[in-house]
Structures are given as C-alpha cells and as structure tokens.
Amino acid sequence: DGGITQSPKYLFRKEGQNVTLSCEQNLNHDAMYWYRQDPGQGLRLIYYSQIVNDFQKGDIAEGYSVSREKKESFPLTVTSAQKNPTAFYLCASSIRRGTNYGYTFGSGTRLTVV
Amino acid sequence: DQQVKQNSPSLSVQEGRISILNCDYTNSMFDYFLWYKKYPAEGPTFLISISSIKDKNEDGRFTVFLNKSAKHLSLHIVPSQPGDSAVYFCAATFTQGGSEKLVFGKGTKLTVNP
C-alpha cells in the first residue's frame, strides 16, 4: 500500500549532535513537508519542497536543514543550532496539481534531547 | 481504522453565508481537537483548537463546537469569504505510551463563491 514512512519512531540525541530524520513516500506525490508538533500547539511548518532539488523555508526553519535529491525522499537534519529540538516531527506529502489534493502524513518521529 | 472522519470531501457556499465543516471521531481518549487550513501548494496552517473539556471555542469568524456524546465536532465560519476557500483538516491529539499522537481527517475542500 502507498504511504509515507518516517523513521525512526523514537530518537534520542545528545546536546551538540546533529541527527537526521528519514521520510520516504511511495505515493508519487510532488510536494513534501516537515512539521513540528509541540504539546498544546498546532503544527508548525519547518520546510517544504514542491519539486525535486527545490525546497523552501517554513515558519521555523532555523536550526534545521533538508534535501530533496529524490522525489520519494525528504530527510530532515536537526542541527546543534536548534535550541529546543525535543518535539514530535511529522512529515507529509501532497499532490501538487490537479483536483485530487490528497494530503498524507507519516506517523511521526519523537525526538528527545538527553 | 480511521479515528477522525471528515465525511464530506467538498463543500460550496456563497460569500457572506455560514460555512459548517463537520468531523466525527471514534476515540474517547482524544484530549485536543484542532482545525487546520491548507491552500494549494502550501503546508496547512493551524486555525483553531478546542480542549475535550470544553464544548465551544470562538476566535473571530471561526467557532468550533464539540459534542462529546455524539463524538462530533464542527467548525463554523461566519461570514464566509472567498479567501476562506481552502482544504480544512480536522485533527485530534491523544497520549499513548507516553507520546503524544496526532490524528488527522482526510480534509474537506471548501469553496466560497463570490
């Protein structure tokens, strides 16, 4: 079945380390997104990409980096510059054009700084 | 098993009238319900939320109603404006295994006609 796979589900990072969260989709969706979820808050957009080799900063891009070398993959790196990285991270994808707007989320990665 | 259901894939209303977007859920453990708005080729943006202990929350033109006995919530937009045309996602949060989970409906596409 088609969907989005995020890995790992749980990730622990020591302060000062960079970590990379994986997001893979087999839906043939053009657009992919990374969100951060904190308790009691709505989703906040970190980065998004509408096509391969192109990506845009979202609302809270500082301390994060992404790449989009393949249509199906959109990894997120949480760098040591991110001051408060402990959060729940969601990857999503959507069809960019046409009347079928299908928007699918992954199951998330819980990142904890120890 | 879809825990959050938006049974209407689309809704069309006239400018100035009320838009009512509906959402049904099955999990009694949800603690927050959220609505997101999404424009084409953009990530969703948080709109309004309601705690499971409340039955109404209002923010400007947007009001969310929660009926826990019916496991139903709705978003009212009054008056509707053409700029409100977007896809609206209902979402819910709950804690499982010490981690917060976020569950989304599939979305309802709202079109507000001038």
Side-chain angles (χ1 to χ4, degrees):
Chain A
D1 289 343
I4 295 183
T5 302
Q6 285 186 245
S7 61
K9 284 189 179 298
Y10 301 95
L11 185 59
F12 296 89
R13 190 196 91 174
K14 293 182 180 179
E15 288 192 24
Q17 280 184 337
N18 292 354
V19 289
T20 297
L21 283 60
S22 171
C23 179
E24 303 278 333
Q25 55 103 354
N26 60 3
L27 300 163
N28 200 33
H29 285 179
D30 292 310
M32 296 186 74
Y33 314 85
W34 273 105
Y35 294 89
R36 173 181 170 139
Q37 174 79 30
D38 294 283
Q41 297 191 34
L43 288 176
R44 291 185 291 167
L45 183 63
I46 302 172
Y47 268 99
Y48 65 100
S49 167
Q50 297 185 36
I51 55 173
V52 175
N53 291 323
D54 182 68
F55 47 84
Q56 309 293 329
K57 291 183 179 180
D59 301 319
I60 54 166
E62 184 176 353
Y64 299 97
S65 66
V66 294
S67 63
R68 187 89 186 275
E69 297 176 356
K70 299 184 296 182
K71 187 176 185 178
E72 58 271 21
S73 179
F74 191 40
L76 173 74
T77 297
V78 184
T79 74
S80 57
Q82 169 49 235
K83 291 180 171 46
N84 186 21
T86 295
F88 185 61
Y89 291 87
L90 274 171
C91 178
S93 70
S94 71
I95 292 178
R96 189 169 69 91
R97 53 189 179 274
T99 57
N100 185 356
Y101 56 84
Y103 197 88
T104 305
F105 281 87
S107 58
T109 294
R110 169 70 63 180
L111 173 63
T112 304
V113 173
V114 295
Chain B
D1 179 27
Q2 197 177 348
Q3 298 187 72
V4 176
K5 297 179 182 179
Q6 293 178 257
N7 292 317
S8 298
S10 62
L11 174 68
S12 184
V13 299
Q14 208 61 32
E15 180 179 10
R17 307 292 286 269
I18 184 172
S19 294
I20 300 176
L21 297 141
N22 293 305
C23 181
D24 296 296
Y25 63 95
T26 58
N27 190 342
S28 299
M29 301 302 292
F30 287 141
D31 48 23
Y32 268 93
F33 299 88
L34 308 94
W35 283 95
Y36 291 88
K37 175 181 179 181
K38 183 184 178 302
Y39 292 113
E42 295 182 17
T45 55
F46 173 70
L47 201 56
I48 191 170
S49 67
I50 187 169
S51 166
S52 59
I53 63 173
K54 307 269 188 182
D55 54 18
K56 179 182 176 182
N57 187 27
E58 187 175 2
D59 184 2
R61 296 186 296 115
F62 302 92
T63 303
V64 56
F65 295 91
L66 177 62
N67 182 335
K68 286 185 286 293
S69 61
K71 291 190 172 67
H72 177 83
L73 72 156
S74 60
L75 174 67
H76 294 210
I77 306 174
V78 183
S80 301
Q81 300 172 354
D84 295 329
S85 297
V87 176
Y88 289 78
F89 292 92
C90 171
T93 67
F94 68 103
T95 301
Q96 185 178 62
S99 298
E100 185 177 87
K101 307 293 183 187
L102 181 62
V103 182
F104 282 81
K106 291 185 180 292
T108 297
K109 185 176 183 180
L110 173 66
T111 302
V112 180
N113 301 305

